[in-house]
Amino acid sequence: AQSVSQHNHHVILSEAASLELGCNYSYGGTVNLFWYVQYPGQHLQLLLKYFSGDPLVKGIKGFEAEFIKSKFSFNLRKPSVQWSDTAEYFCAVLNNAGNMLTFGGGTRLMVKP
Amino acid sequence: KAGVTQTPRYLIKTRGQQVTLSCSPISGHRSVSWYQQTPGQGLQFLFEYFSETQRNKGNFPGRFSGRQFSNSRSEMNVSTLELGDSALYLCASSLQGAPGYEQYFGPGTRLTVT
């Protein structure tokens, strides 16, 4: 069975600080990995995705993530956060059939102005 | 292109009642998935439909059911509601519901069971 772990449940940063959110997955098949963001009162939005190829993927709003197969990790990074990045972030893995996402528990990020 | 839409957005029901939630996928998307989001359990997969067929089902009791129509619109039904069914129910659509295709989420239906 596939599983996703996000180690940081709550993160508080000041504006301009660098961000790294951890994500580890457990899955034996071909990995399709995602980071979604849920801003307060809004729906889940796709930040970035990894299907294959370059393990460093860039997403919207200056976010990037690196797929490290040997570590089963897909950590999310941003060099300089803004107050508007305050949200909950979810890492997810797609199953082999491509029809089910398994999500991590989420990380609540608060950015202080 | 319009996104995934869900109706109603908010719902209050009483224990023992049943409820039907509706989801309209992005135009052209054939796969529709449903997820339950709660503070305690996080985001959990309910089921997925493709071309009117349920292809995958999560670990939920039989009180949770769904269907998909020929225009790809989907409904999910919860019968004999329990307090623990209070949650945000999210619908997601995908072009093919296959590897290499991402899922796009709707705003959700907030169900409160009293």
Side-chain angles (χ1 to χ4, degrees), chain A residues 47-58:
Chain A
L47 264 183
L48 48 78
K49 62 195 177 193
Y50 172 80
F51 290 152
S52 63
D54 189 344
L56 184 62
V57 292
K58 296 191 183 298

Side-chain angles (χ1 to χ4, degrees), chain B residues 73-112:
Chain B
R73 191 177 70 84
S74 176
E75 288 181 348
M76 68 163 280
N77 185 76
V78 188
S79 62
T80 319
L81 284 165
E82 300 177 359
L83 294 178
D85 297 333
S86 294
L88 181 66
Y89 290 89
L90 297 171
C91 167
S93 77
S94 170
L95 190 63
Q96 294 290 346
Y101 292 89
E102 57 266 41
Q103 295 188 8
Y104 296 91
F105 284 81
T109 294
R110 173 79 60 188
L111 172 64
T112 302

Side-chain angles (χ1 to χ4, degrees), chain A residues 14-66:
Chain A
S14 298
E15 274 193 316
S18 64
L19 170 72
E20 181 159 3
L21 301 182
C23 171
N24 286 95
Y25 65 92
S26 171
Y27 187 56
T30 301
V31 286
N32 284 186
L33 294 160
F34 306 85
W35 276 97
Y36 284 88
V37 60
Q38 193 170 34
Y39 297 103
Q42 295 188 28
H43 61 279
L44 274 172
Q45 298 174 39
L46 182 65
L47 264 183
L48 48 78
K49 62 195 177 193
Y50 172 80
F51 290 152
S52 63
D54 189 344
L56 184 62
V57 292
K58 296 191 183 298
I60 60 171
K61 305 186 181 187
F63 286 91
E64 65 178 32
E66 185 174 11

Side-chain angles (χ1 to χ4, degrees), chain A residues 48-104:
Chain A
L48 48 78
K49 62 195 177 193
Y50 172 80
F51 290 152
S52 63
D54 189 344
L56 184 62
V57 292
K58 296 191 183 298
I60 60 171
K61 305 186 181 187
F63 286 91
E64 65 178 32
E66 185 174 11
F67 169 58
I68 303 180
K69 188 174 181 180
S70 61
K71 294 185 178 180
F72 299 92
S73 70
F74 189 56
N75 292 352
L76 181 71
R77 300 195 293 247
K78 186 172 184 178
S80 175
V81 295
Q82 302 172 318
W83 175 78
S84 58
D85 293 324
T86 294
E88 190 159 16
Y89 294 81
F90 295 93
C91 181
V93 64
L94 190 65
N95 67 337
N96 256 353
N99 58 15
M100 179 181 81
L101 285 169
T102 298
F103 287 88

